[in-house]
Amino acid sequence: MRLGVLDIGSNTGHLLVVDAHDGSAPLPAYSYKEPLRLAEHLDEAGDVSQTGIDALAAFTAQAVRVAEEKGCEEMLSFATSAVRDAGNSEAVLAHVEQQTGVRIAVLPGEDEARLTFLAVRRWFGWSAGRLAVFDIGGGSLEIAAGSDERPTVAWSLPLGAARLARAEFAAAPDEEHLRQIRRRIRSEIARDAGHLLRGGTTHRAAATSKTFRSLARICGSAPSGDGPLVPRSLPLSELRHWIPKLVAMTPEELAELPGVSPSRTHQIVPGALVAEACMDIFDLAELEICPWALREGVILERIDKLGVADGP
């Protein structure tokens, strides 16, 4: 069947149209996305602003039209941390539903981590052994680990690149402020690190989504044009080498780096600090970059349910 997956992230609204069949990898057929930047459309009370609400409703309405044009039989819609953590989350979703007819589900952080883990497990397969997965989004950091398709541990932290950029990097931080930011990031990650570490040896560690892909590209990995099957990784040694240079760069200089979108230059340094902290705290020399992430996890879970429903 042809599915539409509407992902309302903290940075971007993304409709991915896929051909989905039980026992097969989901085949992307069309992609439509817009930079909503909801994590940055929050007022002082933590509510999504009217500007953000209007942008979300307009994008959702257009996504419905695109899904219909592309022949989608079903559209799965979900929102992550920017909507999840907003004080007016219910009002935002009710407004979008009233305007578009689409009821967007809010994914809890643990489910976001779990579904991302499922996608990475399916990509690397059982030979990956005990797998650890890290995902830096716009609003949150997801961590999950386990030896099966469902992670043994999965949790979410408010350490997304856009959230940190808005809270800590409105102005260029001096050395002391940067040290404080770094310390805060590490203490939040380390607080629950034992959940993963107590499980034993990690055989493979992977990272997903735009922030990690951009950092890997900066550190020398292959461009996206080479295709998803080319191995890519983010080495800790290279990242450490780059962080002081990234901190010193202007937005214009950051935008010239490979893999960096001009709209995300302000998120590169906070994302790099979170990535470095994850690798340090969990003693990982590198992270493999997985092209599948949350959207694929949502699709795969839906395919699995269809397979069960259609079974003997």
Side-chain angles (χ1 to χ4, degrees):
M1 69 184 298
R2 177 158 283 195
L3 288 174
V5 182
L6 183 63
D7 175 0
I8 305 302
S10 299
N11 283 309
T12 305
H14 190 169
L15 172 70
L16 181 64
V17 176
V18 298
D19 291 319
H21 303 280
D22 186 29
S24 301
L27 179 66
Y30 190 78
S31 175
Y32 165 64
K33 56 186 175 181
E34 293 289 343
L36 300 179
R37 298 174 73 165
L38 293 179
E40 296 168 42
H41 283 299
L42 300 174
D43 62 23
E44 292 182 359
D47 292 346
V48 179
S49 68
Q50 191 60 49
T51 300
I53 294 171
D54 292 342
L56 175 56
F59 172 79
T60 302
Q62 180 59 24
V64 170
R65 289 190 284 270
V66 172
E68 290 174 352
E69 290 171 1
K70 298 301 177 184
C72 293
E73 298 177 49
E74 182 180 346
M75 188 165 79
L76 310 174
S77 307
F78 63 90
T80 55
S81 65
V83 175
R84 180 171 68 230
D85 298 338
N88 61 341
S89 174
E90 282 301 317
V92 170
L93 297 175
H95 176 80
V96 172
E97 184 175 19
Q98 190 272 327
Q99 293 290 314
T100 69
V102 176
R103 181 63 181 178
I104 299 172
V106 176
L107 275 184
E110 184 176 330
D111 282 355
E112 192 175 342
R114 175 182 62 80
L115 289 165
T116 302
F117 182 90
L118 171 63
V120 178
R121 167 62 73 192
R122 292 280 177 92
W123 181 266
F124 286 122
W126 294 111
S127 64
R130 186 168 188 269
L131 180 65
V133 175
F134 302 86
D135 184 339
I136 302 171
S140 59
L141 163 70
E142 275 68 51
I143 302 173
S147 300
D148 299 314
E149 290 208 326
R150 285 182 171 269
T152 308
V153 294
W155 74 101
S156 178
L157 295 167
L159 294 175
R163 185 192 295 265
L164 288 171
R166 181 174 181 270
E168 304 287 1
F169 290 84
D174 59 26
E175 187 174 339
E176 178 55 28
H177 186 201
L178 197 63
R179 183 167 170 264
Q180 291 172 4
I181 296 168
R182 193 170 180 268
R183 185 167 62 239
R184 179 203 149 195
I185 290 169
R186 286 167 180 258
S187 65
E188 290 207 34
I189 295 172
R191 184 177 300 123
D192 294 318
H195 293 338
L196 190 156
L197 295 172
R198 277 192 292 271
T201 301
T202 295
H203 301 112
R204 203 159 190 170
T208 72
S209 299
K210 179 67 174 177
T211 295
F212 274 117
R213 291 199 305 271
S214 295
L215 292 171
R217 183 74 183 97
I218 290 169
C219 291
S221 73
S224 58
D226 286 0
L229 299 181
V230 174
R232 295 173 175 85
S233 66
L234 176 63
L236 178 57
S237 59
E238 280 296 311
L239 182 61
R240 280 181 173 152
H241 171 74
W242 267 98
I243 286 177
K245 296 196 286 187
L246 297 174
V247 169
M249 286 182 176
T250 65
E252 293 75 20
E253 289 170 331
L254 289 168
E256 293 178 359
L257 293 173
V260 178
S261 305
S263 63
R264 294 194 186 220
T265 56
H266 61 304
Q267 299 182 29
I268 289 297
V269 171
L273 295 177
V274 174
E276 181 194 32
C278 289
M279 297 170 80
D280 261 347
I281 288 167
F282 294 103
D283 194 24
L284 302 168
E286 71 172 7
L287 290 169
E288 294 184 68
I289 305 300
C290 179
W292 280 5
L294 176 60
R295 279 185 296 275
E296 287 77 14
V298 171
I299 294 164
L300 290 165
E301 184 171 72
R302 180 62 179 138
I303 293 172
D304 288 349
K305 289 177 180 178
L306 288 171
V308 170
D310 295 340

